């Protein structure tokens, strides 16, 4: 149906995680508002297993393009296939996660369709039969709401964790619509040679818990304590720009305007002053804990819980308490 | 090798932002402006590429008249040529309209092997223009690039590393390519005084919508698909709770509160 809400199901070489299906939740809400259905769409070598999972998370239908050339992610191959599906069925809405893959495919397939899109969306509502998309701009100091007035399909990339995960019900099933579409190898521009797994495997964007160190951590060694707390909680280590620019920790850990935008359930900021550029990257976190020696640090204005004190004393105490209470 | 680099002028990240609410565009007059911080890495990568492989660099900037400043800065850093793309009809262009216009400019420059761009701008924060540009041109789309390993202009090949979730992906791609780079790929250099003086005297060439032959119905606020309907200041986070007392008690209270959230496993 022309008004259907489509959700791009992201996978890596066929491997999926529950997060691949995250947007089926908000997709269903939007479809209810539009009086239509939520559907998944998949590009990959094989789609059946992915589709089965998508039905369990609420998709009523899954559209798929399969082929050997779609085994690993390549932006041009996937975008051409996504463009083919979107152009043929012209759904009312297409949602992608704002990950590296989701953004690559959304941007390129929208461009092939000649449409603009809304990126890193944090608010989606149906207003007068049209979807209104809200995103942060200027480092989160403003929110901007946009509608897509001309395009057949309103395309948005959505900030991971901005919306609740849908419930899973393994008894649900649906129809898989497979489309014959292929791209000749000679027409493809890119080839993945290898994937180098990061030693620390930072995936800040997907993390539920992030423990961040800022300038107040003082030096590279200070991050050992930050990491200890993060490991204890099963979380990831973040860093402010000041800490990264001081060379204490690699850039892949940076949270903020020139780093990553994150929305974990718990964000613990240690020795982070809370410059607007940092707040831009984490202010939508569910629960923010600030630990800073300076009672006037701006981070306290954004914090759910604040502790005025030296992280070197507070963090070991927290580790000790967690150890006892979590039985670790 | 012919290298193009896309530069955007953005408000200083410390500046106070003023909006023209009805049109949803930014009031750029009288606001301190800088080169988009991510684009400085793109410019540096262009300079390094020229040093390593020879070639010439053309810096392009789409924006209002005043954005010529970022091109002067690029000239001071010794790019070979600059090209401003500016026309009142471009005001309010969305990402597609911007990418479409830049694609026309790159085609007009001609024979470009590689385009460097920053990962995203610090004002619009969309981070999709380079990918759209690659798709429109039909060129290799290389995003989140953390390292350029090799460029072989004669063999029409480029090898890069892309910093994506969980690690680095090594990708070989055909030229021409659009490469958007992340912070940390290099250390941008600063212009010297002589370069700045020389650049101050150069007249900045400008292409209008007419010069590029762009379809006026596809650019600007009128031609863009996406339309800003509302600009707001996000609601402040509710007043937090400062935990007071002995460190032992504070740690006890906080860990209880966090465990109660049922997030920690």
């Amino acid at each position: 149906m022309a008004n259907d809400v489509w959700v791009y199901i992201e996978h890596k070489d066929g491997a999926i995680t529950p997060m691949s299906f995250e947007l089926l939740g908000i997709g269903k809400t939007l479809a209810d508002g539009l009086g239509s259905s939520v559907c998944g769409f998949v590009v990959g070598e094989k789609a059946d297993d992915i589709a089965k999972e998508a039905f369990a998370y609420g998709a009523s239908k899954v559209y798929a393009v399969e082929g050997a050339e779609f085994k690993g992610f390549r932006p041009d191959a996937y975008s051409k296939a996504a463009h083919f599906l979107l152009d043929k069925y012209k759904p009312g809405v297409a949602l992608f996660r704002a990950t590296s893959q989701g953004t690559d495919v959304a941007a390129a397939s929208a461009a092939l369709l000649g449409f603009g899109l809304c990126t890193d969306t944090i608010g989606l509502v149906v207003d007068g039969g049209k979807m209104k998309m809200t995103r942060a701009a200027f480092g989160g100091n403003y929110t901007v709401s946009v509608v897509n007035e001309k395009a057949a399909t309103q395309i948005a990339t959505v900030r991971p964790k901005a919306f609740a995960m849908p419930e899973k019900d393994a008894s649900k099933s649906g129809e898989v619509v497979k489309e014959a579409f292929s791209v000749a190898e000679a027409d493809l521009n890119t080839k993945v040679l290898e994937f180098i797994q990061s030693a620390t495997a930072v995936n800040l964007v997907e993390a539920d818990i992030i423990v961040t160190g800022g300038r107040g951590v003082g030096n590279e060694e200070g991050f050992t304590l930050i990491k200890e707390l993060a490991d204890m909680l099963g979380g990831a280590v973040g860093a402010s720009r000041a800490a990264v620019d001081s060379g204490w920790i690699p850039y892949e850990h940076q949270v903020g305007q020139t780093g990553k935008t994150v929305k974990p359930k718990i964000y613990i900021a240690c020795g982070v002053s809370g410059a607007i550029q940092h707040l831009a990257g984490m202010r939508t976190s569910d629960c923010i804990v600030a630990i800073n020696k300076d009672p006037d640090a701006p981070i306290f204005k954004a914090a759910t819980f604040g502790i005025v004190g030296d992280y070197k004393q507070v963090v070991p105490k927290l580790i000790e308490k967690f150890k006892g209470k979590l039985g670790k | 090798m012919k290298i193009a680099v896309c530069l955007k002028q953005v408000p200083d990240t410390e500046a106070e932002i003023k909006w023209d609410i009805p049109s949803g565009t930014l009031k750029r007059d009288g606001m301190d402006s800088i080169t988009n911080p991510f684009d400085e890495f793109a410019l540096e990568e262009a300079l390094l590429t020229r040093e390593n492989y020879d070639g010439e660099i053309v810096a392009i900037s789409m924006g209002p008249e005043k954005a010529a400043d970022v091109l002067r800065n690029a000239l001071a850093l010794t790019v070979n040529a600059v090209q401003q793309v500016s026309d009142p009809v471009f005001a309010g262009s969305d990402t597609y309209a911007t990418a479409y216009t830049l694609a026309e400019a790159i085609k007009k420059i001609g024979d470009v092997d590689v385009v460097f761009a920053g990962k995203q701008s610090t004002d619009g924060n969309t981070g999709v223009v380079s990918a759209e540009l690659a798709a429109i041109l039909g060129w290799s789309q290389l995003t989140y690039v953390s390292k350029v390993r090799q460029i072989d202009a004669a063999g029409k090949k480029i090898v890069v590393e892309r910093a994506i979730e969980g690690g680095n992906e090594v990708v070989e791609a055909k030229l021409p390519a659009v490469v958007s780079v992340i912070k940390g790929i290099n250390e941008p250099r600063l212009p010297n005084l002589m370069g700045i003086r020389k650049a101050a005297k150069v007249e900045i060439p400008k292409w209008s919508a007419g010069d590029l032959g762009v379809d006026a119905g596809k650019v600007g606020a009128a031609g863009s698909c996406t339309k800003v309907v509302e600009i707001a200041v996000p609601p402040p986070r509710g007043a937090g709770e400062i935990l007071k007392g002995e460190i032992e008690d504070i740690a006890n209270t906080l860990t209880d509160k966090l465990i109660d959230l049922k997030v920690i496993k």
Side-chain angles (χ1 to χ4, degrees), chain B residues 21-233:
Chain B
I21 298 283
S23 72
T25 54
L26 198 59
K27 283 185 185 167
R28 293 178 195 260
D29 300 339
M31 194 188 292
D32 282 339
S33 298
I34 54 169
T35 300
N36 174 38
F38 284 104
D39 296 350
E40 292 184 349
F41 298 101
L43 177 56
E44 178 64 28
E45 204 55 34
L47 294 166
L48 291 171
T49 303
R50 186 180 62 182
E51 283 165 17
N52 291 336
Y53 301 100
D54 233 1
E56 55 168 314
I57 303 170
V58 185
I60 310 164
S61 185
M62 177 175 167
E65 291 278 341
K66 194 177 159 242
D69 293 349
V70 306
L71 294 175
R72 274 190 209 289
N73 181 59
L75 278 169
L77 286 165
T78 77
V79 300
N80 303 79
V82 294
Q83 183 62 56
Q84 186 170 21
V85 176
S86 186
D87 195 309
V89 306
F90 293 145
S93 288
D94 72 359
T95 58
Y96 175 76
T98 302
Y100 162 67
T101 305
L102 285 172
E104 291 302 321
I106 286 163
K107 282 192 244 173
K108 195 172 164 81
I109 289 167
D111 300 320
V112 170
D113 295 292
V114 58
V115 179
F116 287 107
K119 174 183 156 262
Q120 66 187 82
S121 64
T122 53
D123 55 354
N125 294 121
T126 63
V128 287
V129 171
S130 74
E132 290 177 272
L133 179 60
I136 292 167
L137 290 167
W139 294 3
S140 297
Q141 174 183 337
L142 298 169
T143 50
Y144 311 100
V145 170
S146 57
K147 188 177 182 174
V148 176
R149 283 194 177 180
Q150 189 207 347
I151 304 183
D152 176 0
K156 295 271 167 212
K157 199 179 84 173
I158 180 169
V159 181
V160 301
E161 288 181 25
R162 301 178 62 231
I164 59 169
E165 295 82 0
N168 277 12
E169 188 179 73
V170 185
V171 181
E172 181 184 296
K174 291 176 191 165
L175 291 181
V178 181
V179 177
S180 67
V181 305
I182 63 167
K183 177 183 167 179
I185 185 172
N186 53 41
E187 288 279 342
R189 69 194 75 181
L190 293 170
N192 62 31
L193 200 57
M194 202 163 72
I196 294 170
R197 277 194 189 137
K198 252 171 85 180
K201 295 185 196 119
V202 178
E203 192 169 330
I204 306 288
K206 193 173 84 179
W207 284 335
S208 65
D211 294 331
L212 290 174
V214 299
D215 178 349
K218 286 166 79 173
V219 297
S224 295
C225 288
T226 52
K227 190 172 171 223
V228 175
V229 289
E230 192 180 309
I231 293 163
V233 176

Side-chain angles (χ1 to χ4, degrees), chain A residues 134-150:
Chain A
T134 302
R135 60 189 303 274
F138 293 94
N141 295 312
Y142 285 88
T143 59
V144 175
S145 298
V146 304
V147 291
N148 204 330
E149 291 189 320
K150 292 179 181 166

Side-chain angles (χ1 to χ4, degrees), chain A residues 114-173:
Chain A
F115 298 161
L117 72 159
C118 183
T119 57
D120 200 25
T121 308
I122 51 175
L124 285 166
V125 290
V126 173
D127 188 1
K130 267 275 181 195
M131 183 173 74
K132 189 168 86 174
M133 305 170 272
T134 302
R135 60 189 303 274
F138 293 94
N141 295 312
Y142 285 88
T143 59
V144 175
S145 298
V146 304
V147 291
N148 204 330
E149 291 189 320
K150 292 179 181 166
T153 303
Q154 299 208 75
I155 300 178
T157 69
V158 181
R159 182 177 296 178
K161 296 175 178 289
F163 298 97
M165 272 297 288
E167 295 286 330
K168 188 177 178 180
D169 177 354
S171 69
K172 286 189 187 161
S173 63

Side-chain angles (χ1 to χ4, degrees), chain A residues 69-70 74 76-77 80 181-190, chain B residues 174:
Chain A
E69 69 268 42
F70 305 115
R74 288 186 287 180
D76 44 356
K80 283 175 177 168
F181 176 83
S182 61
V183 194
E185 198 58 43
D187 293 335
L188 290 172
N189 287 334
T190 54
Chain B
K174 291 176 191 165

